[in-house]
Amino acid sequence: MRSLIVAAAWLSGTLLCGCGSTSSGVTPSLTITPSGNAGTVAISGPTDFTAQVVGSTADVAWTVTGGTLTATSGLHVVYLPPLGTAAGMLTATAGNLTASVKIASSPAALKPVSIPGLKGAVTVQYDAQDVPHIQCTQAVDCIAVQGYLQARDRWFPMDFLRHVAEGHLAELIGSSGLSSDLQLRTLFTTRDGQRLESALRVAAEADPDHKTLDLLTAYTAGVNAYLAQLKATPGAVLPGEYAQLPFALTPADLDAWRIEDTLAIGRLNQFQLSETLNAELDNGKFLATYGPAALGGKLPDAGKMLAWVRAPSPLTERGHTLSAGPAGISSAPASHASVAPRRRPAKFDLAPWRDALTAAAARTAELHDRLRPLDASIGSNNWVVSGGKSATGAAMVANDPHLSLQYPPLFHLAAMTSSNQSDNLDLTGGSFPGVPGALVGRGAHVGWGVTVVGYDVTDVYLEQFAPCPGSGPTDPPCVAFKNGLVPTLAFPQVYKVRIGPGPTGLIPATVPAPFVLMVPHHGPVIQAPDPKTGKGVSVRWTGQEGNTLDSKAFYGLNTATDVDAAMLALKDYATGAQNFVLADDKGNIAYDPHALVPVRPWAITATPLLPWFPLPGDGSAEWGPGGSVDCTVAPAKLDPTCWIADATLPQGKNPAKGYFFTANADPTGVSDNDDNDPRPENPATDPPYLSFSWDDSSGFRATRIEQMLAAAIARNGKVSLDDMMQIQSDHASRLGLAFAPIIAGVATSAPGGSPPDLGLAANMIAAWAAAGADCPSGLTGTDPGGAADTTPVVVANSSACFLFHEFLRVLVTNVFTDDLAVAGQGVNGLAAIKALLFMATPQGAGSTSFCNDVNPTTGQVVAPKSCATQVATALVTAYDTLSGLVGPDPKTWVWGRVHTMQPVSLLALVTSGYAPGPFARPGGAFTVDVGSPSLTASGTSFSFGSSGNVRHISLMDEAKPVVKMQLPGPERDGPAVTTTPDLLGQWVRNSYFDYAAGGQISAVAVATQTFQAP
């Protein structure tokens, strides 16, 4: 603890009672040291106090007020001062002797720091979690100091991510980064050949409101101030993660920070959270395999198409963000009136592009898995409760964005307050290192939460290339478009690779194509044209529009005065497609998932082109009402006709039910029956096509959140802060409840002579479901090897949850792996779950060809099987596997021994101390407190690597704001340690800390630091 204690001490009784000399001539006395001269002593941090006893053999006892002690008896104790500025009294007693020390404590004063360009002095107070609370006279100074502190605390992830985002990773980590560089240089190039980060800076400079540019400039100055100090410090050591690199770098090897670096990291994050490139390529491969022959399918199977490529949630009744309220929530699989599309899709034969699709998918798979691993996208929850439905009368907001678990954690926390009232900056939250402000948290008047909404903002185009008339063999080709040929553009690129330390360690890299090939009306070419056929693939993503002002939108959100002002600010938020839930200190709540969503008129015709499959590049599937070629008018200005109007997008304010919730599912319910048709069911009231499958269209988490909110209101008429925390830590398995009746039906109809383990396993699942299908870890602590909890209900739930997940993994593997191998793709866990639950309905009976065993190369059936047989086989296999590998007694099947999380360094090449754990965790696939393990791995390890990167709850009380927060790791970079503050341990235990908001920091600060201009 960093604190400075100034103690005023005196002897309250050198000789209290029995004064005078003893018979031996020794005067009894008791003193405490340190006590200092004239009754004062200066100490720093926890301090060892010693009792000195003369003329007495009595034991020494200690008492204290205003602090804590490490012991209550003995000659030595350590005094732990309270947080903030406080007074305490330490008293020692030995027999009839007493001595006291009066202690006045205050935060430690740390070494001042200079940052060029600061307009005034800045004070930073640190709390017990090492979170900085920045106090300034102008917002730009707060942001500059935030830049310095982020660089000081998290420099490696900042440096690493800018290299990734800008396509220079090989310059940091060597040749293993070249593949990423080639793809991100391609994807992050605008249609006129600019780097995205450069175009975004131009847009910020063109904005008449220069506040965003001023803030970005200040942030950059703060980062560079830290780098300058690092380079000027003799013997300075880089963060430990640099030891993972193949080459020993020094501070001299670090490039200065640029505004473009911040913008690039922001766009990289938006790409991770919004693109559907890989999904659409996979859908195209699946269509080219099992689709109708007229669309290029080589093994037509309408049942497989309907089961695998589908939009609706598998639940019969499910919650939607904008629904009027819960109409009753069922666990049964969904039932749909029709399995046939209402209109036949337009004929477009994918067969000629089959090889190009396969090659493109292979090229992007590695990048996709690195940025957004399979199954890791299933996550993020947020909800808001209005003042009218809050137990305190103040609106509340909760958020836990689910992203890859890293060490140190992905988010860096900071609070910022400007004394300039016009700034309206009083911010408490967290952001990604490299990005100023707060992405999650609350401002002076508005709190918010973010999750991915999952708009369809990506289209893949199948292009026909040909030589341009009169061109030479090395000239860029032309591409067929609207009955003509359009020249493509080639933008040269220079790639470098690091082969050693220092300036001479960077050399030019040899790559197959040192240029980005651009289809000017679509976007970059991700699969070069085949030399023989001219078939290639391009992609268009809204994030390639380089003239947006997303940073401005977030700063406007950070400083909004109410939810209306927040929604107005979010109109500048263009890329990333986030569900924003908002709550203000007047009791209002709102929902606003604003983003750029393309207008696609060809998707709602009588014979639509389906935008979740690759599209023809011939001009028949262009964005905009008239097939606009370019949606850009000027820097910082977009053609509004290209995008669905803001008023048409889902949004709402102060609903009668008193809450909004999101969990990446369909917010309006329009996709419930749109199995094969992007057209709105009711064009008069429904929005136009927004998405096919959203980001997690299962509905399990969203429905559970609404269920718990509605239950709290039904129980007490209000939602309490404790209710909010309970929801965020909920680990009941609605997925288990959905499968329970399927398992029961199979067990009931099993023929005589079935394995006895079938009945035993089915009975375990049935009892588990009847009790609510909870998924506790089954341990008394967080150590996977620790003591098991012997409480009967915990034992039963833990073992059944373990059995269920083993069953699910076996079932998914047995049913889908062979069929998908024919299509050249792996198993997506979300699609598999939706398909399985659909196939269990009467409407899905025609899709059960998945349940046959097929040759994974030819697709020929080698063993006809029913889905009931597959369920029974998977259940028996799972039971027998656990019996053999864990033990024959199900009571020993402890879920937390295998369901674990272990954050790792960003590079995943673990340096010593950068992979704490593993830790046992409750929950499982699709639980609210998410811990979704891979459903396609083998064995009995169910570790997961993606979960809530922060858990945040705010009570929007203007007078007494309350902020609860969890962070899965320390604020500062460094190897894992066991000393306080143990933020990772708190996160694992679902234990919140109180995040001081507003002026609350003065009462709990442990250290202070000043920043000023040189």
Side-chain angles (χ1 to χ4, degrees), residues 728-756:
Q728 206 163 65
S729 61
D730 180 71
H731 37 73
S733 175
R734 288 193 60 79
L735 178 61
L737 292 174
F739 269 94
I742 299 171
I743 293 171
V746 168
T748 301
S749 60
S754 295

PDB file of all heavy atoms in Angstrom, residues 728-756:
ATOM      1  N   GLN A 728     -25.864 -11.137 -12.950  1.00  0.00           N
ATOM      2  CA  GLN A 728     -24.566 -11.145 -13.626  1.00  0.00           C
ATOM      3  C   GLN A 728     -23.739 -12.385 -13.280  1.00  0.00           C
ATOM      4  O   GLN A 728     -22.880 -12.800 -14.062  1.00  0.00           O
ATOM      5  CB  GLN A 728     -23.787  -9.870 -13.271  1.00  0.00           C
ATOM      6  CG  GLN A 728     -22.774  -9.463 -14.313  1.00  0.00           C
ATOM      7  CD  GLN A 728     -22.331  -8.034 -14.135  1.00  0.00           C
ATOM      8  OE1 GLN A 728     -21.721  -7.683 -13.141  1.00  0.00           O
ATOM      9  NE2 GLN A 728     -22.621  -7.195 -15.115  1.00  0.00           N
ATOM     10  N   SER A 729     -24.001 -12.994 -12.138  1.00  0.00           N
ATOM     11  CA  SER A 729     -23.245 -14.182 -11.734  1.00  0.00           C
ATOM     12  C   SER A 729     -24.060 -15.464 -11.896  1.00  0.00           C
ATOM     13  O   SER A 729     -23.667 -16.517 -11.383  1.00  0.00           O
ATOM     14  CB  SER A 729     -22.787 -14.048 -10.278  1.00  0.00           C
ATOM     15  OG  SER A 729     -23.896 -13.921  -9.408  1.00  0.00           O
ATOM     16  N   ASP A 730     -25.166 -15.409 -12.643  1.00  0.00           N
ATOM     17  CA  ASP A 730     -26.040 -16.572 -12.792  1.00  0.00           C
ATOM     18  C   ASP A 730     -25.389 -17.628 -13.692  1.00  0.00           C
ATOM     19  O   ASP A 730     -24.825 -17.310 -14.742  1.00  0.00           O
ATOM     20  CB  ASP A 730     -27.379 -16.147 -13.392  1.00  0.00           C
ATOM     21  CG  ASP A 730     -28.329 -17.316 -13.565  1.00  0.00           C
ATOM     22  OD1 ASP A 730     -28.821 -17.815 -12.538  1.00  0.00           O
ATOM     23  OD2 ASP A 730     -28.541 -17.740 -14.713  1.00  0.00           O
ATOM     24  N   HIS A 731     -25.491 -18.903 -13.277  1.00  0.00           N
ATOM     25  CA  HIS A 731     -24.916 -19.976 -14.086  1.00  0.00           C
ATOM     26  C   HIS A 731     -25.874 -21.145 -14.273  1.00  0.00           C
ATOM     27  O   HIS A 731     -25.449 -22.307 -14.350  1.00  0.00           O
ATOM     28  CB  HIS A 731     -23.581 -20.450 -13.512  1.00  0.00           C
ATOM     29  CG  HIS A 731     -23.496 -20.477 -12.015  1.00  0.00           C
ATOM     30  ND1 HIS A 731     -24.131 -21.402 -11.239  1.00  0.00           N
ATOM     31  CD2 HIS A 731     -22.842 -19.655 -11.164  1.00  0.00           C
ATOM     32  CE1 HIS A 731     -23.853 -21.184  -9.974  1.00  0.00           C
ATOM     33  NE2 HIS A 731     -23.085 -20.116  -9.885  1.00  0.00           N
ATOM     34  N   ALA A 732     -27.158 -20.845 -14.346  1.00  0.00           N
ATOM     35  CA  ALA A 732     -28.127 -21.882 -14.709  1.00  0.00           C
ATOM     36  C   ALA A 732     -28.065 -22.128 -16.218  1.00  0.00           C
ATOM     37  O   ALA A 732     -27.898 -21.201 -17.008  1.00  0.00           O
ATOM     38  CB  ALA A 732     -29.531 -21.457 -14.306  1.00  0.00           C
ATOM     39  N   SER A 733     -28.221 -23.377 -16.619  1.00  0.00           N
ATOM     40  CA  SER A 733     -28.089 -23.750 -18.029  1.00  0.00           C
ATOM     41  C   SER A 733     -29.457 -23.872 -18.688  1.00  0.00           C
ATOM     42  O   SER A 733     -30.132 -24.895 -18.571  1.00  0.00           O
ATOM     43  CB  SER A 733     -27.336 -25.088 -18.156  1.00  0.00           C
ATOM     44  OG  SER A 733     -27.315 -25.512 -19.492  1.00  0.00           O
ATOM     45  N   ARG A 734     -29.865 -22.845 -19.400  1.00  0.00           N
ATOM     46  CA  ARG A 734     -31.097 -22.952 -20.191  1.00  0.00           C
ATOM     47  C   ARG A 734     -30.896 -23.903 -21.366  1.00  0.00           C
ATOM     48  O   ARG A 734     -31.850 -24.498 -21.855  1.00  0.00           O
ATOM     49  CB  ARG A 734     -31.552 -21.573 -20.667  1.00  0.00           C
ATOM     50  CG  ARG A 734     -32.111 -20.719 -19.538  1.00  0.00           C
ATOM     51  CD  ARG A 734     -32.843 -19.495 -20.067  1.00  0.00           C
ATOM     52  NE  ARG A 734     -33.972 -19.856 -20.918  1.00  0.00           N
ATOM     53  CZ  ARG A 734     -35.159 -20.269 -20.468  1.00  0.00           C
ATOM     54  NH1 ARG A 734     -35.366 -20.393 -19.170  1.00  0.00           N
ATOM     55  NH2 ARG A 734     -36.131 -20.549 -21.307  1.00  0.00           N
ATOM     56  N   LEU A 735     -29.661 -24.051 -21.798  1.00  0.00           N
ATOM     57  CA  LEU A 735     -29.373 -25.047 -22.832  1.00  0.00           C
ATOM     58  C   LEU A 735     -29.675 -26.444 -22.305  1.00  0.00           C
ATOM     59  O   LEU A 735     -30.266 -27.281 -23.011  1.00  0.00           O
ATOM     60  CB  LEU A 735     -27.913 -24.937 -23.262  1.00  0.00           C
ATOM     61  CG  LEU A 735     -27.420 -25.936 -24.312  1.00  0.00           C
ATOM     62  CD1 LEU A 735     -28.195 -25.790 -25.605  1.00  0.00           C
ATOM     63  CD2 LEU A 735     -25.929 -25.743 -24.555  1.00  0.00           C
ATOM     64  N   GLY A 736     -29.284 -26.717 -21.069  1.00  0.00           N
ATOM     65  CA  GLY A 736     -29.600 -28.008 -20.475  1.00  0.00           C
ATOM     66  C   GLY A 736     -31.087 -28.237 -20.354  1.00  0.00           C
ATOM     67  O   GLY A 736     -31.593 -29.345 -20.596  1.00  0.00           O
ATOM     68  N   LEU A 737     -31.828 -27.178 -20.004  1.00  0.00           N
ATOM     69  CA  LEU A 737     -33.281 -27.305 -19.908  1.00  0.00           C
ATOM     70  C   LEU A 737     -33.902 -27.595 -21.266  1.00  0.00           C
ATOM     71  O   LEU A 737     -34.913 -28.302 -21.366  1.00  0.00           O
ATOM     72  CB  LEU A 737     -33.876 -26.017 -19.325  1.00  0.00           C
ATOM     73  CG  LEU A 737     -33.544 -25.721 -17.853  1.00  0.00           C
ATOM     74  CD1 LEU A 737     -34.085 -24.346 -17.457  1.00  0.00           C
ATOM     75  CD2 LEU A 737     -34.110 -26.791 -16.935  1.00  0.00           C
ATOM     76  N   ALA A 738     -33.320 -27.049 -22.336  1.00  0.00           N
ATOM     77  CA  ALA A 738     -33.856 -27.291 -23.674  1.00  0.00           C
ATOM     78  C   ALA A 738     -33.628 -28.736 -24.126  1.00  0.00           C
ATOM     79  O   ALA A 738     -34.465 -29.327 -24.825  1.00  0.00           O
ATOM     80  CB  ALA A 738     -33.222 -26.321 -24.668  1.00  0.00           C
ATOM     81  N   PHE A 739     -32.489 -29.315 -23.735  1.00  0.00           N
ATOM     82  CA  PHE A 739     -32.186 -30.682 -24.153  1.00  0.00           C
ATOM     83  C   PHE A 739     -32.823 -31.737 -23.254  1.00  0.00           C
ATOM     84  O   PHE A 739     -32.969 -32.894 -23.660  1.00  0.00           O
ATOM     85  CB  PHE A 739     -30.676 -30.899 -24.195  1.00  0.00           C
ATOM     86  CG  PHE A 739     -30.059 -30.591 -25.527  1.00  0.00           C
ATOM     87  CD1 PHE A 739     -29.519 -29.339 -25.789  1.00  0.00           C
ATOM     88  CD2 PHE A 739     -30.033 -31.539 -26.538  1.00  0.00           C
ATOM     89  CE1 PHE A 739     -28.956 -29.051 -27.010  1.00  0.00           C
ATOM     90  CE2 PHE A 739     -29.472 -31.257 -27.762  1.00  0.00           C
ATOM     91  CZ  PHE A 739     -28.931 -30.008 -28.012  1.00  0.00           C
ATOM     92  N   ALA A 740     -33.181 -31.371 -22.039  1.00  0.00           N
ATOM     93  CA  ALA A 740     -33.693 -32.359 -21.090  1.00  0.00           C
ATOM     94  C   ALA A 740     -34.895 -33.134 -21.625  1.00  0.00           C
ATOM     95  O   ALA A 740     -34.926 -34.376 -21.521  1.00  0.00           O
ATOM     96  CB  ALA A 740     -34.017 -31.694 -19.759  1.00  0.00           C
ATOM     97  N   PRO A 741     -35.922 -32.482 -22.208  1.00  0.00           N
ATOM     98  CA  PRO A 741     -37.044 -33.274 -22.715  1.00  0.00           C
ATOM     99  C   PRO A 741     -36.668 -34.151 -23.901  1.00  0.00           C
ATOM    100  O   PRO A 741     -37.259 -35.222 -24.099  1.00  0.00           O
ATOM    101  CB  PRO A 741     -38.080 -32.207 -23.103  1.00  0.00           C
ATOM    102  CG  PRO A 741     -37.323 -30.941 -23.240  1.00  0.00           C
ATOM    103  CD  PRO A 741     -36.184 -31.026 -22.298  1.00  0.00           C
ATOM    104  N   ILE A 742     -35.703 -33.741 -24.696  1.00  0.00           N
ATOM    105  CA  ILE A 742     -35.243 -34.580 -25.806  1.00  0.00           C
ATOM    106  C   ILE A 742     -34.593 -35.848 -25.260  1.00  0.00           C
ATOM    107  O   ILE A 742     -34.868 -36.968 -25.725  1.00  0.00           O
ATOM    108  CB  ILE A 742     -34.260 -33.801 -26.693  1.00  0.00           C
ATOM    109  CG1 ILE A 742     -34.942 -32.562 -27.291  1.00  0.00           C
ATOM    110  CG2 ILE A 742     -33.682 -34.684 -27.784  1.00  0.00           C
ATOM    111  CD1 ILE A 742     -33.985 -31.626 -27.999  1.00  0.00           C
ATOM    112  N   ILE A 743     -33.749 -35.686 -24.274  1.00  0.00           N
ATOM    113  CA  ILE A 743     -33.087 -36.840 -23.655  1.00  0.00           C
ATOM    114  C   ILE A 743     -34.109 -37.751 -22.991  1.00  0.00           C
ATOM    115  O   ILE A 743     -34.050 -38.982 -23.119  1.00  0.00           O
ATOM    116  CB  ILE A 743     -32.035 -36.349 -22.648  1.00  0.00           C
ATOM    117  CG1 ILE A 743     -30.891 -35.638 -23.379  1.00  0.00           C
ATOM    118  CG2 ILE A 743     -31.505 -37.509 -21.806  1.00  0.00           C
ATOM    119  CD1 ILE A 743     -29.908 -34.938 -22.466  1.00  0.00           C
ATOM    120  N   ALA A 744     -35.076 -37.156 -22.295  1.00  0.00           N
ATOM    121  CA  ALA A 744     -36.102 -37.964 -21.617  1.00  0.00           C
ATOM    122  C   ALA A 744     -36.910 -38.763 -22.622  1.00  0.00           C
ATOM    123  O   ALA A 744     -37.235 -39.940 -22.396  1.00  0.00           O
ATOM    124  CB  ALA A 744     -37.013 -37.062 -20.788  1.00  0.00           C
ATOM    125  N   GLY A 745     -37.244 -38.127 -23.757  1.00  0.00           N
ATOM    126  CA  GLY A 745     -38.018 -38.826 -24.774  1.00  0.00           C
ATOM    127  C   GLY A 745     -37.267 -39.994 -25.367  1.00  0.00           C
ATOM    128  O   GLY A 745     -37.840 -41.067 -25.610  1.00  0.00           O
ATOM    129  N   VAL A 746     -35.985 -39.831 -25.603  1.00  0.00           N
ATOM    130  CA  VAL A 746     -35.171 -40.915 -26.153  1.00  0.00           C
ATOM    131  C   VAL A 746     -35.068 -42.061 -25.153  1.00  0.00           C
ATOM    132  O   VAL A 746     -35.177 -43.244 -25.505  1.00  0.00           O
ATOM    133  CB  VAL A 746     -33.774 -40.381 -26.526  1.00  0.00           C
ATOM    134  CG1 VAL A 746     -32.818 -41.538 -26.820  1.00  0.00           C
ATOM    135  CG2 VAL A 746     -33.867 -39.460 -27.730  1.00  0.00           C
ATOM    136  N   ALA A 747     -34.853 -41.718 -23.870  1.00  0.00           N
ATOM    137  CA  ALA A 747     -34.716 -42.764 -22.856  1.00  0.00           C
ATOM    138  C   ALA A 747     -36.020 -43.523 -22.670  1.00  0.00           C
ATOM    139  O   ALA A 747     -36.029 -44.752 -22.496  1.00  0.00           O
ATOM    140  CB  ALA A 747     -34.277 -42.138 -21.533  1.00  0.00           C
ATOM    141  N   THR A 748     -37.148 -42.794 -22.738  1.00  0.00           N
ATOM    142  CA  THR A 748     -38.446 -43.441 -22.547  1.00  0.00           C
ATOM    143  C   THR A 748     -38.764 -44.407 -23.675  1.00  0.00           C
ATOM    144  O   THR A 748     -39.333 -45.488 -23.466  1.00  0.00           O
ATOM    145  CB  THR A 748     -39.552 -42.375 -22.441  1.00  0.00           C
ATOM    146  OG1 THR A 748     -39.256 -41.516 -21.342  1.00  0.00           O
ATOM    147  CG2 THR A 748     -40.910 -43.018 -22.236  1.00  0.00           C
ATOM    148  N   SER A 749     -38.400 -44.042 -24.902  1.00  0.00           N
ATOM    149  CA  SER A 749     -38.740 -44.863 -26.069  1.00  0.00           C
ATOM    150  C   SER A 749     -37.659 -45.888 -26.400  1.00  0.00           C
ATOM    151  O   SER A 749     -37.775 -46.602 -27.398  1.00  0.00           O
ATOM    152  CB  SER A 749     -38.970 -43.965 -27.288  1.00  0.00           C
ATOM    153  OG  SER A 749     -37.798 -43.224 -27.589  1.00  0.00           O
ATOM    154  N   ALA A 750     -36.604 -45.953 -25.573  1.00  0.00           N
ATOM    155  CA  ALA A 750     -35.525 -46.895 -25.868  1.00  0.00           C
ATOM    156  C   ALA A 750     -36.036 -48.323 -25.796  1.00  0.00           C
ATOM    157  O   ALA A 750     -36.795 -48.671 -24.891  1.00  0.00           O
ATOM    158  CB  ALA A 750     -34.384 -46.699 -24.877  1.00  0.00           C
ATOM    159  N   PRO A 751     -35.621 -49.171 -26.728  1.00  0.00           N
ATOM    160  CA  PRO A 751     -36.096 -50.564 -26.724  1.00  0.00           C
ATOM    161  C   PRO A 751     -35.506 -51.341 -25.556  1.00  0.00           C
ATOM    162  O   PRO A 751     -34.501 -50.949 -24.959  1.00  0.00           O
ATOM    163  CB  PRO A 751     -35.591 -51.100 -28.067  1.00  0.00           C
ATOM    164  CG  PRO A 751     -34.391 -50.259 -28.376  1.00  0.00           C
ATOM    165  CD  PRO A 751     -34.715 -48.883 -27.851  1.00  0.00           C
ATOM    166  N   GLY A 752     -36.139 -52.427 -25.221  1.00  0.00           N
ATOM    167  CA  GLY A 752     -35.622 -53.302 -24.179  1.00  0.00           C
ATOM    168  C   GLY A 752     -34.235 -53.791 -24.538  1.00  0.00           C
ATOM    169  O   GLY A 752     -33.907 -53.995 -25.704  1.00  0.00           O
ATOM    170  N   GLY A 753     -33.427 -53.969 -23.553  1.00  0.00           N
ATOM    171  CA  GLY A 753     -32.058 -54.400 -23.802  1.00  0.00           C
ATOM    172  C   GLY A 753     -31.099 -53.263 -24.042  1.00  0.00           C
ATOM    173  O   GLY A 753     -29.924 -53.495 -24.339  1.00  0.00           O
ATOM    174  N   SER A 754     -31.590 -52.005 -23.947  1.00  0.00           N
ATOM    175  CA  SER A 754     -30.691 -50.874 -24.088  1.00  0.00           C
ATOM    176  C   SER A 754     -29.691 -50.869 -22.943  1.00  0.00           C
ATOM    177  O   SER A 754     -29.967 -51.389 -21.853  1.00  0.00           O
ATOM    178  CB  SER A 754     -31.494 -49.569 -24.072  1.00  0.00           C
ATOM    179  OG  SER A 754     -32.341 -49.485 -25.204  1.00  0.00           O
ATOM    180  N   PRO A 755     -28.517 -50.286 -23.136  1.00  0.00           N
ATOM    181  CA  PRO A 755     -27.513 -50.258 -22.066  1.00  0.00           C
ATOM    182  C   PRO A 755     -28.095 -49.643 -20.803  1.00  0.00           C
ATOM    183  O   PRO A 755     -28.790 -48.617 -20.868  1.00  0.00           O
ATOM    184  CB  PRO A 755     -26.398 -49.389 -22.657  1.00  0.00           C
ATOM    185  CG  PRO A 755     -26.585 -49.458 -24.126  1.00  0.00           C
ATOM    186  CD  PRO A 755     -28.050 -49.596 -24.358  1.00  0.00           C
ATOM    187  N   PRO A 756     -27.827 -50.232 -19.640  1.00  0.00           N
ATOM    188  CA  PRO A 756     -28.360 -49.665 -18.398  1.00  0.00           C
ATOM    189  C   PRO A 756     -27.865 -48.255 -18.139  1.00  0.00           C
ATOM    190  O   PRO A 756     -28.546 -47.468 -17.467  1.00  0.00           O
ATOM    191  CB  PRO A 756     -27.863 -50.645 -17.324  1.00  0.00           C
ATOM    192  CG  PRO A 756     -26.720 -51.379 -17.945  1.00  0.00           C
ATOM    193  CD  PRO A 756     -27.038 -51.458 -19.402  1.00  0.00           C
TER     194      PRO A 756
END
